[in-house]
Amino acid sequence: MDMSLMIESLPRLLEGAVLTLKLLLLTELIGFICALPLGILYANGSRAARTPIYAFVYFFRGTPLLVQIFIVYYGLAQFDFVRQSVLWPWLRQPFVCALLACALHSTAYTTNILRGAIQAVPAGEVEAARACGMSAFQVQRFIVLPIAFRLMLPAYSNQAIGMLKGTSLASTITLMELTGVANTIVASTFQPYEVFIMAALIYLTITLVITRCFKYLEYALSKHRRPLKSSAAIPGQVRHAD
């Protein structure tokens, strides 16, 4: 194993990781904002409102992300009205196309996760809120959504980690994120083992950070928080009330 190559390639790989993080954060932000109203309608809307949302979720969950990226990057350019629109200077950029495809993919998964979390909210909580005179909007804002957000965090964290790995597909449309940079280094050095080990370690580090952030968020939103280790009682020590 060539340790010198692994060290030399690290700065370039970290530059690619910055672009990976930028793509991931924008994807999750846009996906969550778009999924919030869609998830509420998907769970509580009429049949006419749920049908197009179901079709949207089914398409983006049922087709590979790579195909979706190719459709956006190569497919949109086939339409004259797209090339003649004011959006064309943006849609011709690989980063924007990758972001659009990833954001739509994330929106579909997050919508489905949020719908399941909303439907998992105990009916007694909703009935109690209505008995207190809350309007439908207040029930959603103060009761349903806060509980649903707590319930959806484990599944949403898995979705975010999956999207982190999905951003590697952006390298197929010439975007120099972490995997794209790794492929470039391998093409010039012909030593894939060392380079991809470093790339994998960077991905693992990002995954660890994401996992820790979601665990902290789950702890912060939990009604029944476990005591911190620093504040736990020492065996054999008697704690007196103040």
Side-chain angles (χ1 to χ4, degrees):
M1 183 179 296
D2 191 348
M3 296 297 298
S4 61
L5 175 61
M6 299 174 70
I7 297 174
E8 291 174 3
S9 63
L10 183 58
R12 293 179 60 186
L13 291 173
L14 290 177
E15 291 179 3
V18 171
L19 186 58
T20 294
L21 286 174
K22 180 180 178 182
L23 179 60
L24 175 65
L25 292 176
L26 289 176
T27 293
E28 292 303 312
L29 177 62
I30 296 172
F32 186 83
I33 292 174
C34 295
L36 185 57
L38 293 178
I40 295 174
L41 285 175
Y42 199 12
N44 301 317
S46 62
R47 184 181 183 87
R50 295 198 308 268
T51 301
I53 299 176
Y54 171 81
F56 168 79
V57 172
Y58 182 80
F59 174 80
F60 282 96
R61 292 182 67 222
T63 56
L65 177 58
L66 180 61
V67 173
Q68 297 164 18
I69 292 175
F70 283 166
I71 290 175
V72 173
Y73 186 69
Y74 297 110
L76 293 180
Q78 305 300 316
F79 300 99
D80 291 333
F81 70 89
V82 174
R83 294 197 302 269
Q84 296 172 2
S85 67
V86 296
L87 297 177
W88 178 240
W90 295 90
L91 293 177
R92 64 190 301 177
Q93 300 178 21
F95 181 81
V96 175
C97 291
L99 176 60
L100 178 59
C102 291
L104 291 173
H105 189 85
S106 176
T107 298
Y109 273 87
T110 307
T111 297
N112 199 54
I113 292 171
L114 181 58
R115 179 200 62 130
I118 290 175
Q119 292 179 341
V121 173
E125 301 275 355
V126 178
E127 293 175 0
R130 289 174 178 171
C132 292
M134 287 187 177
S135 63
F137 175 78
Q138 289 175 326
V139 171
Q140 289 292 323
R141 179 181 177 184
F142 297 110
I143 304 299
V144 175
L145 289 181
I147 297 176
F149 286 153
R150 291 197 299 268
L151 295 176
M152 71 178 287
L153 280 179
Y156 186 65
S157 64
N158 291 334
Q159 187 274 333
I161 294 173
M163 183 52 61
L164 168 65
K165 293 179 285 188
T167 57
S168 62
L169 298 174
S171 61
T172 59
I173 55 173
T174 71
L175 194 65
M176 289 295 99
E177 42 73 62
L178 180 53
T179 302
V181 172
N183 286 328
T184 302
I185 298 174
V186 170
S188 60
T189 61
F190 300 101
Q191 293 180 278
Y193 188 73
E194 293 84 350
V195 177
F196 282 119
I197 283 181
M198 292 302 297
L201 290 176
I202 295 175
Y203 276 117
L204 286 174
T205 302
I206 298 174
T207 300
L208 178 62
V209 172
I210 293 174
T211 303
R212 292 296 181 183
C213 289
F214 273 100
K215 282 188 176 180
Y216 177 79
L217 188 58
E218 287 183 50
Y219 172 79
L221 295 177
S222 177
K223 288 183 177 180
H224 308 288
R225 301 181 181 179
R226 296 179 179 178
L228 298 176
K229 292 183 179 180
S230 60
S231 60
I234 301 174
Q237 178 181 358
V238 179
R239 302 184 64 182
H240 301 280
D242 294 336

